[in-house]
Amino acid sequence: MQQSTTRRTLHYYWQVTRKHKGLFWGLIVSTFLFVALLSYGNPYVMSLVVDRVSEGGVGPDEVFSAYGPYIVALIAINVFGQAASKFQDYTLYKLEIAAAYDLATMSFDALCNQSMSFHSNRFGGTLVSQTSKFMSAYQQLIETIMFPFLPVMCSVIFTCGILAPRVPVYVAILMALLAVYATVSYIMYKRILSLNEKAASAQNQLSGELSDSVSNILAVKTYGREDYERGLFDAANREVVARDSKRMWASLTRGIITASITVVIMSVVAVFIAGGNAWYGITPGTLVMMFTYTYTVTNQFNFINNGLQRFNRAFGDASGMTTTLDEPRLVADVAGAPDLQVREGAIDFEGIGFSYGDGDAKTQVFDDFELHIPAGQRVGLVGLSGAGKTTLTKLLLRLSDIQQGCILLDGQNIAQCTQQSLRRQIAYVPQESLLFHRSVAENISYGKPGASMVEIREAAARANALEFIERLPQGFETQVGERGVKLSGGQRQRIAIARAILADCPVLVLDEATSALDSESEALVQDALATLMKGRTCIVVAHRLSTVASLDRIVVIDSGKVAEDGPHEQLIAAGGEYANLWNRQTGAYLE
């Protein structure tokens, strides 16, 4: 499972990287040149200098003639090496900036295009944390490849290429020891990878617990549950500590083993350098190269431990968002779907079958459900909790997809049209107003980008919101706080209605839009809703029957079926379920 997730992470990262192949290959070439020139070019020229010095016979007036070419070579190597180093920095920064943009866009699109069922089963804070880690993991991965790993490959290539013709036995022994080192590191890397994913999962859970508590801080405080929430957070925090500790000990164990191999390698080079001239006639310059190159390559291999640890952490951090990106979209547009065109607003639910699942459990909500709403008709949906009223509106908005049947809007199957075009034809006002931490004006104009202030003010006036907005500290420029926390419930709802008025959609869905308001706020909101409903096809979900009594038609839903259908007076006279609900709410049974 871990390897599969790692491969999928690499797949997504490569999708982004190949869009910037010029930067990527420029980074590789500059790294190759940087290592070749500064780590291997300098010692090579110095070995030639040492051999020339050991030959003797150079007088004071012959220094520049004898060593001039070496001096020029060293200067050129360092000039071009430093230039390669700076170009490496440039391409790395540019690639990371470009990739961060693409990864953020990829994650945002994936989250925004997922169904409401997906979001209902996840912490918002966890998804934010996963996105952030997914982006930073790419940066960590690229930097790890370009600094420990690519230089290691270069070091092995250059060490073999330069020393093998001169001391083949030494190179063979060195490569064998390095192969053991690399094999041990890789085996332990695979073992630690699962520990990193578990540690990242624990960290995501901790972020989710924190987000959940902070988002619902009013409930925490008003019920005196600070200690309980702290207990949940502490349990998640302790799990993070436990998993991080396991990862730490595994990494330390790997470091001790590989450090022991490094000691063996340096012991071999010490023996060869000490006896190289006596046993094999190796020149002083070559001995200098042997020590310098071996020290360089073993140092680079030492960085492999840190690099593999960073690899582990990067893949572990990225695993959460990788899994999210792999999630199938429960609600998706068909290929080449056209935009929905609505002129009148007639709605037809034909043979609807829908069930939702929680794990392996399935709950049937609708089975062969039928309902026709003519254009311009105002329809109330009533019934007991769990009857399917709100679910029906979500199916109309395609927040979830039906399993059988079809929903038609002006004769067009909404499943065959783009979701965005569908939702732009439906103004939705829920029980809890959906406000952003932005200005009042931005919130009202959300359904009509580019609306003028004249249009915004007119919509606010029609929603009975203009008076209170103008009393706010900065009027329409006042920031409303997260989810509109700076405003009262009635004020938030009137802003949501102003948004719906400005959007001017042919279809209106009101889902318990006044149930949480006090009497005064409800009266203002009801008046605004009456304005909003004029000339539109309206679906009003309500438990408070007084809000639907004046509508053209009332549909009673019971266990996913239409139990009663007709105007208020007709349903009262029928003495059925609607009449019973009405009598309970109006106190008729108290007599």
Side-chain angles (χ1 to χ4, degrees):
M1 177 62 181
Q2 285 82 16
Q3 291 182 10
S4 174
T5 305
T6 299
R7 283 196 296 270
R8 294 300 298 160
T9 299
L10 289 172
H11 165 73
Y12 290 120
Y13 284 168
W14 177 242
Q15 278 188 325
V16 168
T17 304
R18 69 183 180 184
K19 292 174 62 178
H20 311 285
K21 284 190 289 189
L23 291 173
F24 180 69
W25 287 112
L27 180 57
I28 290 177
V29 170
S30 61
T31 303
F32 186 88
L33 289 174
F34 166 69
V35 174
L37 293 170
L38 298 185
S39 296
Y40 283 83
N42 277 328
Y44 180 78
V45 174
M46 286 306 301
S47 73
L48 299 178
V49 173
V50 170
D51 282 342
R52 182 69 183 85
V53 170
S54 65
E55 293 174 4
V58 177
D61 57 340
E62 299 174 318
V63 169
F64 286 104
S65 61
Y67 296 106
Y70 302 124
I71 295 172
V72 172
L74 283 172
I75 293 173
I77 284 171
N78 281 277
V79 168
F80 288 109
Q82 292 299 333
S85 172
K86 298 312 133 194
F87 187 68
Q88 178 194 50
D89 292 341
Y90 168 77
T91 51
L92 178 63
Y93 288 144
K94 287 286 289 183
L95 178 60
E96 287 179 347
I97 291 169
Y101 174 85
D102 291 335
L103 290 169
T105 302
M106 178 190 294
S107 301
F108 182 84
D109 288 345
L111 295 177
C112 280
N113 290 311
Q114 271 294 359
S115 67
M116 288 305 299
S117 299
F118 169 89
H119 287 283
S120 297
N121 292 315
R122 287 162 176 82
F123 286 124
T126 297
L127 295 176
V128 172
S129 173
Q130 287 176 353
T131 301
S132 176
K133 288 182 177 181
F134 188 64
M135 294 166 60
S136 62
Y138 177 87
Q139 178 180 338
Q140 195 170 20
L141 198 63
I142 284 293
E143 291 180 1
T144 303
I145 290 172
M146 292 304 159
F147 294 114
F149 286 100
L150 190 56
V152 163
M153 292 175 57
C154 294
S155 296
V156 171
I157 292 170
F158 294 136
T159 299
C160 290
I162 297 173
L163 291 182
R166 303 185 181 202
V167 278
V169 175
Y170 172 75
V171 171
I173 295 173
L174 178 62
M175 290 303 112
L177 290 172
L178 291 176
V180 171
Y181 187 111
T183 302
V184 170
S185 294
Y186 179 70
I187 291 172
M188 300 195 72
Y189 157 76
K190 289 175 65 178
R191 292 179 180 175
I192 296 172
L193 183 58
S194 63
L195 297 178
N196 277 277
E197 291 194 5
K198 290 176 181 178
S201 175
Q203 186 62 55
N204 287 334
Q205 182 65 27
L206 181 67
S207 298
E209 291 288 355
L210 178 61
S211 174
D212 202 31
S213 296
V214 171
S215 299
N216 295 284
I217 192 65
L218 184 60
V220 174
K221 288 187 172 295
T222 53
Y223 282 91
R225 298 285 278 174
E226 289 91 344
D227 290 342
Y228 174 75
E229 292 298 324
R230 191 184 189 282
L232 292 178
F233 182 81
D234 188 62
N237 208 5
R238 288 181 183 277
E239 184 67 14
V240 170
V241 171
R243 294 190 178 185
D244 277 345
S245 297
K246 287 183 179 180
R247 177 170 62 181
M248 176 193 72
W249 284 114
S251 298
L252 285 175
T253 301
R254 180 182 61 193
I256 291 170
I257 294 173
T258 52
S260 301
I261 298 174
T262 301
V263 171
V264 173
I265 292 173
M266 293 310 296
S267 300
V268 170
V269 74
V271 171
F272 262 87
I273 287 174
N277 182 262
W279 298 335
Y280 302 105
I282 300 174
T283 66
T286 301
L287 291 175
V288 169
M289 274 199 301
M290 288 171 60
F291 177 81
T292 305
Y293 289 175
T294 304
Y295 182 75
T296 299
V297 78
T298 52
N299 258 357
Q300 297 288 2
F301 267 77
N302 277 336
F303 292 140
I304 283 183
N305 275 332
N306 177 262
L308 288 175
Q309 186 173 345
R310 292 171 66 189
F311 261 171
N312 283 337
R313 187 180 294 275
F315 285 124
D317 286 350
S319 62
M321 181 51 66
T322 296
T323 302
T324 297
L325 291 170
D326 282 342
E327 283 275 344
R329 293 186 181 178
L330 301 179
V331 180
D333 291 337
V334 297
D339 285 348
L340 183 71
Q341 304 294 330
V342 178
R343 298 184 183 279
E344 297 178 345
I347 303 171
D348 291 283
F349 296 89
E350 296 184 350
I352 301 301
F354 176 74
S355 61
Y356 60 85
D358 188 359
D360 294 330
K362 296 289 183 183
T363 302
Q364 188 76 33
V365 183
F366 296 111
D367 183 16
D368 199 28
F369 179 87
E370 299 277 345
L371 182 64
H372 172 65
I373 303 175
Q377 190 175 70
R378 301 172 304 158
V379 176
L381 298 183
V382 303
L384 300 177
S385 295
K389 306 181 299 296
T390 294
T391 301
L392 196 64
T393 64
K394 290 182 177 178
L395 295 177
L396 175 62
L397 285 157
R398 280 198 74 196
L399 300 179
S400 295
D401 263 345
I402 55 178
Q403 283 97 38
Q404 66 184 54
C406 63
I407 301 174
L408 306 177
L409 191 48
D410 274 358
Q412 302 162 84
N413 189 339
I414 64 171
Q416 302 301 315
C417 302
T418 61
Q419 296 174 62
Q420 285 196 8
S421 66
L422 165 68
R423 293 165 190 156
R424 286 170 181 164
Q425 305 297 329
I426 303 173
Y428 177 63
V429 182
Q431 177 179 354
E432 183 180 351
S433 306
L434 307 174
L435 300 187
F436 295 90
H437 183 24
R438 301 170 190 172
S439 71
V440 171
E442 286 178 285
N443 273 287
I444 292 175
S445 63
Y446 194 74
K448 186 181 179 181
S452 67
M453 275 307 301
V454 173
E455 293 175 302
I456 294 171
R457 287 180 64 86
E458 182 181 349
R462 292 174 62 193
N464 289 330
L466 183 59
E467 184 180 352
F468 88 78
I469 291 173
E470 290 183 332
R471 291 200 305 266
L472 294 173
Q474 283 84 42
F476 280 91
E477 296 306 313
T478 301
Q479 299 288 312
V480 302
E482 187 175 6
R483 298 184 182 179
V485 69
K486 295 181 180 180
L487 306 177
S488 70
Q491 290 172 335
R492 289 196 297 271
Q493 204 68 333
R494 279 178 277 165
I495 287 179
I497 293 169
R499 175 193 294 168
I501 290 173
L502 187 57
D504 195 24
C505 300
V507 178
L508 172 66
V509 174
L510 305 174
D511 190 357
E512 298 285 359
T514 63
S515 63
L517 305 179
D518 59 74
S519 299
E520 183 178 352
S521 294
E522 183 184 10
L524 290 169
V525 170
Q526 287 283 22
D527 184 44
L529 289 176
T531 301
L532 177 59
M533 285 191 282
K534 289 178 181 177
R536 292 180 172 85
T537 304
C538 303
I539 297 177
V540 182
V541 176
H543 281 107
R544 193 179 299 175
L545 300 185
S546 59
T547 61
V548 298
S550 61
L551 299 182
D552 303 323
R553 175 182 170 200
I554 297 167
V555 176
V556 181
I557 298 180
D558 184 18
S559 300
K561 299 285 186 183
V562 175
E564 294 181 278
D565 187 352
H568 170 77
E569 293 79 6
Q570 178 183 320
L571 297 183
I572 291 295
E577 180 62 26
Y578 180 79
N580 290 334
L581 292 172
W582 179 266
N583 289 333
R584 290 193 193 106
Q585 291 192 12
T586 57
Y589 287 151
L590 295 178
E591 298 178 2

